[in-house]
Amino acid sequence: MSDSHRRDGTDGGGSAVASGLPSPSSLPDGRPEAIKAVKLRHPWRIAVAVVLVVLLVLFVLDAAQRKAFGWADVGKYLFDVRISQAALVTLELTVYSMVIGVVLGLVLAIMRLSPNPVLKAVSWLYLWIFRGTPVYVQLVFWGLITLIYNTIVIGIPFVHTWAVIPITWVPPLFFISVVGLSLNEAAYMAEIVRAGLLSVDPGQEEAAKALGMSWWQTMRRVVIPQSMRVIIPPTGNEVISMLKTTTLVAAVPFTLDLFGRARDISAETFTPIPLLIVASLWYLFFTSVLMVGQYFLERRFARGTDRGRPVVGIGVDVEPSVAAGGVGGVR
Amino acid sequence: MSAADRRAETRTAADAAPLPMVDAVAVSKSFGANEVLKSITLRVRRGEVMCVIGPSGSGKSTFLRCINHLESIDAGRLYVDGELVGYRQKGGKLYELKPSEAALQRRDIGMVFQHFNLFPHMTALENVTEAPIRVKGVPRHEAVARGRELLARVGLGSHSGHYPSQLSGGQQQRVAIARALAMDPKLMLFDEPTSALDPELVGDVLDVMRGLAESGMTMVVVTHEMGFAREVGDSLVFMDGGVIVESGDPRQVLADPQQERTRAFLSKVL
């Protein structure tokens, strides 16, 4: 059927003439000639692009000669040792907060999806509080924690007191900053992990159950590994977001991070604008590096579950039927 | 208390015949207001291959899922190998089983799903060895040796290193059968095992199931493969609207259905 159609189309003077429509000219071997059409033009795109480039050049030229930007100071402080040390502190804040946030988020998400209503309620309450209040406010609270809780009371609550132990340990501000950032991050990571866990086909859980696997075995061996594909790309986003959120530790108040340090220096030198630019350049540098990593991460995880992993045994014992029927992994 | 004693406590000990593998007594199940199973009573003998047919929504898959307690039943009693499924009976009262106890019951019952449900992040061999290693605590080298043997048995000896996505549907379903067999089940449940397959791949899976039946495995097979039911089945159950409309010898039921509803269904599918 399709074969006869093809024959009509190619050796086709007869049928084409009969229908009155122009027929494609044929190559010597009978195949139809490739289409060579005039490309659609987009003159407005070019016009708008030219205008934008002109505006950008004007802005740069103008900025370069504006005194307020203080370009000399930008150059002076960009690689100042105080700034680069502060940049390191910002990275530390980011890494510690993210690691704790991811682990705690995973625990919260698993609690939320567990069949245990007590764990579910605890997780829900946590998310409600930490997602429902601004991170800035949370950080101020953590900074004041020693004012709120300054004694340990041993006894029966509201009835009898045996001993009162004053808390003399004052946690370092860096520690408080990490606690504040990571507890807030955990709430968001929990939602990301939860979405990932829910993305796994319910049939997987059912199959594991039918094999007699426990709920935790099912989670750890079957559901969590498959959810990583969905969880990892947005987690990369969270890292980039966290890097910038660390500026809010000023609320603790912790000031040894990149932005805090830049502000401190400018408070002495009365040159706030160049130091803002210095800080921005550092943040931009870090986020750019992270965005490159994010790109490769997403490319890696956008691939099918099969294509992402090394293929074992292929080429050794592959059968023709598999090569034909299989998907990308074989290629 | 032995399994037989337990059973005798709740049921009259009239039958001295060997314990049936599956004994369903007036099993009922509803999803909300929708009554999916209406007092299903049937028995599957040891070594019997029972095929369950019927239109979609007739409750046949739900019944299968009740047998290994993936769904709980609302009324009636369901015994597998003399053990009450999902509950413990003590002093005339039923107690819900702990998840770990329910898991213990399930691991003796193999299940094969319509959509295979293989673990996509594990190779065929890892799929087969996962449960024996994790659930039964079988040493890895033993599980691997047995896994290879089972894959060879379903005709996939050379595919142990392949991921499910590198296998055709028929091959995946055969791995799924090997995975269920790796737990040495006493009963195998098949939920439309060939319905999601290309027609040309159905034969291989049915061959494996036929071999399994010949080896004496007790099987309950929900299927639309009337040919398989006729050749391999010891008994046939036709379900519709949550009740058993007709049951008996498959050759007899398929050739000469007694109920009008059965006749109407068979005239459409045969």
Side-chain angles (χ1 to χ4, degrees):
Chain A
M1 159 97 186
S2 66
D3 207 20
S4 72
H5 261 297
R6 203 173 304 137
R7 219 171 293 127
D8 285 353
T10 45
D11 66 17
S15 64
V17 170
S19 70
L21 297 170
S23 67
S25 47
S26 303
L27 293 171
D29 63 357
R31 286 179 297 120
E33 196 186 9
I35 289 173
K36 288 189 211 96
V38 179
K39 282 260 181 286
L40 189 59
R41 307 221 181 266
H42 300 281
W44 281 107
R45 285 184 197 172
I46 297 164
V48 172
V50 167
V51 171
L52 288 176
V53 167
V54 168
L55 286 175
L56 182 68
V57 167
L58 287 176
F59 174 80
V60 169
L61 289 176
D62 171 75
Q65 55 196 335
R66 262 179 207 274
K67 283 228 163 44
F69 280 120
W71 293 112
D73 283 338
V74 170
K76 187 171 145 199
Y77 288 109
L78 189 55
F79 298 108
D80 187 294
V81 74
R82 285 171 295 177
I83 289 291
S84 50
Q85 267 172 359
L88 190 67
V89 171
T90 285
L91 280 187
E92 282 172 359
L93 279 173
T94 307
V95 171
Y96 293 148
S97 304
M98 268 325 283
V99 169
I100 298 170
V102 167
V103 172
L104 194 56
L106 186 67
V107 172
L108 285 166
I110 290 172
M111 283 167 70
R112 184 94 189 268
L113 294 176
S114 87
N116 181 336
V118 178
L119 294 181
K120 256 187 207 172
V122 169
S123 174
W124 183 88
L125 186 70
Y126 184 98
L127 294 201
W128 180 61
I129 292 171
F130 281 89
R131 290 208 312 157
T133 55
V135 60
Y136 189 88
V137 174
Q138 288 172 29
L139 286 167
V140 174
F141 254 111
W142 287 115
L144 298 172
I145 193 79
T146 49
L147 293 183
I148 308 170
Y149 298 100
N150 47 21
T151 55
I152 295 173
V153 177
I154 298 172
I156 306 162
F158 307 113
V159 178
H160 188 79
T161 303
W162 287 313
V164 178
I165 305 165
I167 302 174
T168 49
W169 182 63
V170 180
L173 293 176
F174 179 83
F175 176 81
I176 290 179
S177 304
V178 169
V179 167
L181 289 173
S182 58
L183 293 190
N184 179 71
E185 181 58 30
Y188 288 92
M189 278 311 301
E191 287 296 283
I192 289 173
V193 173
R194 191 168 77 107
L197 296 179
L198 289 175
S199 74
V200 178
D201 174 17
Q204 292 289 313
E205 205 177 325
E206 207 153 71
K209 221 172 160 185
L211 287 167
M213 290 169 82
S214 69
W215 178 80
W216 176 237
Q217 280 175 332
T218 304
M219 275 309 213
R220 194 168 57 88
R221 299 288 306 170
V222 176
V223 177
I224 294 176
Q226 290 182 60
S227 64
M228 282 303 156
R229 200 165 53 94
V230 174
I231 292 173
I232 286 181
T235 302
N237 249 339
E238 286 295 303
V239 176
I240 293 173
S241 172
M242 174 60 83
L243 184 89
K244 295 175 290 175
T245 308
T246 56
T247 51
L248 296 183
V249 294
V252 171
F254 177 73
T255 54
L256 296 180
D257 72 309
L258 183 51
F259 181 63
R261 221 51 175 114
R263 295 278 294 213
D264 280 354
I265 295 171
S266 64
E268 284 169 26
T269 59
F270 301 107
T271 53
I273 293 165
L275 278 148
L276 281 179
I277 293 172
V278 166
S280 299
L281 287 175
W282 275 95
Y283 284 115
L284 210 50
F285 169 69
F286 287 143
T287 50
S288 303
V289 171
L290 288 172
M291 278 160 93
V292 172
Q294 169 91 346
Y295 169 79
F296 284 107
L297 213 60
E298 276 182 12
R299 217 175 56 163
R300 166 83 165 74
F301 282 94
R303 295 187 285 184
T305 37
D306 57 310
R307 280 169 270 186
R309 45 175 59 251
V311 171
V312 182
I314 279 277
V316 181
D317 58 9
V318 71
E319 274 182 17
S321 64
V322 182
V327 278
V330 178
R331 252 173 269 137
Chain B
M1 202 194 317
S2 80
D5 285 346
R6 204 171 309 157
R7 214 170 63 87
E9 198 182 84
T10 48
R11 294 169 43 80
T12 50
D15 43 352
L19 206 56
M21 183 56 80
V22 179
D23 195 352
V25 188
V27 167
S28 305
K29 167 82 186 169
S30 304
F31 291 113
N34 181 17
E35 208 178 348
V36 192
L37 298 176
K38 297 171 188 160
S39 191
I40 300 284
T41 297
L42 63 74
R43 253 178 210 192
V44 184
R45 286 174 288 108
R46 277 156 200 287
E48 179 177 342
V49 176
M50 176 182 278
C51 292
V52 183
I53 61 169
S56 55
S58 60
K60 51 196 196 309
S61 285
T62 305
F63 179 65
L64 205 64
R65 293 160 55 80
C66 286
I67 295 178
N68 71 350
H69 202 47
L70 284 178
E71 303 283 356
S72 58
I73 62 175
D74 298 334
R77 294 286 185 276
L78 186 55
Y79 299 89
V80 171
D81 203 12
E83 255 189 84
L84 198 55
V85 172
Y87 300 93
R88 192 183 321 110
Q89 185 144 13
K90 214 170 150 189
K93 253 180 157 176
L94 286 184
Y95 295 87
E96 230 178 279
L97 288 187
K98 281 190 255 172
S100 58
E101 294 168 323
L104 209 62
Q105 285 188 340
R106 273 191 208 106
R107 69 186 216 184
D108 291 336
I109 304 171
M111 183 145 187
V112 175
F113 299 88
Q114 181 178 359
H115 296 288
F116 333 133
N117 297 359
L118 287 182
F119 306 133
H121 58 302
M122 299 183 192
T123 63
L125 185 63
E126 285 166 350
N127 264 282
V128 176
T129 57
E130 176 69 15
I133 293 172
R134 305 278 156 190
V135 179
K136 277 191 163 175
V138 176
R140 182 173 294 273
H141 65 276
E142 275 177 39
V144 167
R146 173 110 170 90
R148 288 191 187 282
E149 187 189 310
L150 284 167
L151 285 174
R153 182 169 163 193
V154 299
L156 294 171
S158 59
H159 293 66
S160 57
H162 288 65
Y163 286 93
S165 54
Q166 297 163 344
L167 300 171
S168 73
Q171 289 169 332
Q172 287 189 54
Q173 192 61 295
R174 284 185 280 154
V175 173
I177 294 173
R179 177 174 72 172
L181 290 176
M183 292 298 280
D184 296 314
K186 54 191 176 192
L187 168 67
M188 284 283 284
L189 308 174
F190 292 87
D191 189 5
E192 303 197 21
T194 57
S195 296
L197 298 178
D198 288 342
E200 56 176 338
L201 304 174
V202 168
D204 291 341
V205 172
L206 291 181
D207 284 343
V208 168
M209 290 168 63
R210 189 174 290 124
L212 200 55
E214 279 160 10
S215 74
M217 177 63 78
T218 312
M219 295 162 60
V220 180
V221 186
V222 170
T223 187
H224 295 299
E225 296 293 330
M226 300 303 159
F228 178 82
R230 191 184 294 119
E231 290 161 34
V232 183
D234 297 310
S235 57
L236 183 76
V237 170
F238 172 66
M239 280 179 73
D240 188 26
V243 297
I244 295 177
V245 177
E246 189 165 353
S247 63
D249 182 77
R251 286 147 288 269
Q252 213 163 357
V253 175
L254 290 174
D256 181 24
Q258 298 301 306
Q259 301 292 324
E260 184 50 44
R261 184 68 194 86
T262 318
R263 219 167 306 166
F265 176 74
L266 290 176
S267 71
K268 278 177 203 154
V269 297
L270 282 179

